[in-house]
Amino acid sequence: INNGIRIEKHKLEPGDLVFFSGNRNGIITHVGIYVGGNKFIGSQTSTGVAYAELDGVYWGPRFVGYGRY
């Protein structure tokens, strides 16, 4: 996230990266690719490669930031 351009949610475009902290301490442990419609695609052990909601029950609280590279 430090090497890219940080962007705000309202400026998200498909292809932007979305960063999450699995342990909620701010250390990035997961990265997804924004696809539009408040969704991203990522690879999770529970679902494999799948679409998920940015502000869903699991990912919403783990959100760290958005970046464009």
Side-chain angles (χ1 to χ4, degrees), residues 37-65:
N38 201 43
K39 293 185 179 185
F40 71 97
I41 190 165
S43 177
Q44 294 76 240
T45 56
S46 60
T47 61
V49 177
Y51 293 97
E53 295 284 335
L54 286 176
D55 53 4
V57 174
Y58 183 81
W59 292 111
R62 292 164 173 81
F63 169 75
V64 175

Side-chain angles (χ1 to χ4, degrees), residues 1-19 28 31-36 63 65-69:
I1 199 167
N2 293 331
N3 293 325
I5 300 168
R6 282 184 172 236
I7 54 175
E8 301 295 322
K9 185 174 184 176
H10 69 278
K11 294 184 179 180
L12 274 173
E13 296 178 3
D16 290 337
L17 300 183
V18 186
F19 299 92
I28 295 168
V31 179
I33 302 170
Y34 184 69
V35 296
F63 169 75
Y66 309 106
R68 186 168 295 151
Y69 292 79

